[in-house]
Amino acid sequence: MTNIVKADQLTKTFGNVKALDHCDLEIKKGEIFGYLGPSGAGKTTTIKLLTGQLHSDSGEVTVLGKDPFSPDIKKKIGIMSDMSGLYEKMTVYENLDLFADIYGIRDKKEKIRRTLEAVELLDAAKKKVEKLSRGMKQRLVFARTILHDPGLLFLDEPTANLDPATADEIRDLIRRLNREGATVFLTTHNMEEADELCHRVALLNKGSIVESGSPEELKYSHKRVVITTKEGKREVPLEREALLESLGQAGEVLMIHSEEPSLRDVFLTLTKEEQ
Ligand SMILES: Nc1ncnc2c1ncn2[C@@H]1O[C@H](COP(=O)(O)OP(=O)(O)OP(=O)(O)O)[C@@H](O)[C@H]1O
Ligand SMILES: [Mg+2]
């Protein structure tokens, strides 16, 4: 599969804070890629570097085979960060109309109608943004992100601060767009979301990627065998040598079973180890 985003040894420092430290990334066409990491890990900084909003100190980035600062890239990508870009005093329709002009969309009336339909905001088209609920605003931001049919989406915490039902709707939208061919790069703090939505994830901690792979691979590689003896339980990695050694030392074994961690457990283990 082709790499639609590629970063080599990407580094960015703010003063004495190393926000990103020699980071390598490869996003393949058609995948939903989850970029996970604790607050301050460097996720938003990465998105800014990949979307031509920030220059790196060093390293290489190509997006759709080009430099992210090249002028024609902006029309081919969709970026969703937060709600600050909406015009509160304008209606839902007017907000999209403005962006349709910026993107030079032809047949914009029909395009806006179809996009509003996709995010289930058609009935609210004439409402002022200030009167919308948080979930509706989030869906409008999403509508704006996909209005120009970008093949590549960068979604920075698309479901943050949403109630579970609205978050589900946003996830459904992401899945649908992905099925229709869009490649998605998303950040999230929600590990269940990453597990359910993403084909591959990378775990970022303090500016470095500490692990990457499919959620299944990550969970499998952190699988543990639990050996129960009279003295108590001990956890051993699923690895022949370690297992035999522990069994040799364990005394009378009462029970052996294996436990697969959740993605959340993997995340917590890896980010704790790195501190
Ligand atoms: N413009 C800036 N000036 C100075 N420091 C910055 C700037 N942008 C980010 N940083 C710092 O870089 C580090 C990474 O920030 P970043 O916003 O990329 O983290 P994040 O992973 O997106 O966190 P969160 O999950 O809270 O959104 C942090 O220490 C942050 O304080
Ligand atoms: Mg962020």
Side-chain angles (χ1 to χ4, degrees), residues 39-193:
S39 189
K43 302 181 297 296
T44 301
T45 303
T46 307
I47 290 190
K48 287 185 179 166
L49 294 168
L50 298 180
T51 55
Q53 301 180 72
L54 197 65
H55 284 281
S56 65
D57 300 343
S58 59
E60 294 282 320
V61 184
T62 47
V63 172
L64 302 166
K66 293 187 173 169
D67 182 302
F69 283 90
S70 63
D72 50 340
I73 288 288
K74 302 270 186 298
K75 286 194 173 180
K76 294 180 181 160
I77 63 177
I79 309 168
M80 176 170 170
S81 45
D82 54 27
M83 291 180 226
S84 57
L86 295 177
Y87 292 93
E88 296 273 328
K89 299 282 175 200
M90 285 164 61
T91 67
V92 165
Y93 186 93
E94 287 163 352
N95 265 272
L96 292 188
D97 191 57
L98 190 66
F99 276 87
D101 286 341
I102 292 172
Y103 286 124
I105 292 171
R106 266 175 281 152
D107 199 9
K108 65 175 180 179
K109 235 174 152 176
E110 175 58 14
K111 184 75 205 159
I112 294 172
R113 197 192 62 76
R114 271 194 283 128
T115 309
L116 283 176
E117 201 170 48
V119 299
E120 293 177 29
L121 277 180
L122 203 51
D123 293 343
K126 291 187 179 136
K127 268 199 177 174
K128 277 197 179 165
V129 169
E130 64 187 0
K131 299 230 166 98
L132 302 182
S133 70
R134 186 190 280 274
M136 290 165 97
K137 282 187 191 175
Q138 191 85 331
R139 278 183 277 148
L140 178 56
V141 175
F142 202 86
R144 195 188 64 196
T145 308
I146 61 172
L147 188 64
H148 55 302
D149 286 326
L152 174 59
L153 300 177
F154 291 92
L155 311 176
D156 200 356
E157 300 187 40
T159 58
N161 308 313
L162 294 179
D163 69 84
T166 317
D168 268 346
E169 288 170 20
I170 296 285
R171 282 191 282 271
D172 282 344
L173 272 171
I174 294 172
R175 263 192 222 97
R176 184 161 13 121
L177 285 163
N178 175 251
R179 271 201 305 273
E180 288 165 5
T183 305
V184 182
F185 181 107
L186 70 89
T187 73
T188 180
H189 285 128
N190 181 336
M191 294 299 128
E192 286 75 35
E193 169 171 295

Side-chain angles (χ1 to χ4, degrees), residues 9-25 35-49 54-58 203-210:
Q9 299 290 294
L10 206 55
T11 300
K12 178 72 192 176
T13 316
F14 297 105
N16 54 8
V17 176
K18 209 162 218 180
L20 211 60
D21 191 4
H22 297 90
C23 176
D24 291 331
L25 277 173
Y35 202 45
L36 318 176
S39 189
K43 302 181 297 296
T44 301
T45 303
T46 307
I47 290 190
K48 287 185 179 166
L49 294 168
L54 197 65
H55 284 281
S56 65
D57 300 343
S58 59
L203 231 151
L204 188 74
N205 197 30
K206 294 183 180 168
S208 298
I209 291 181
V210 289

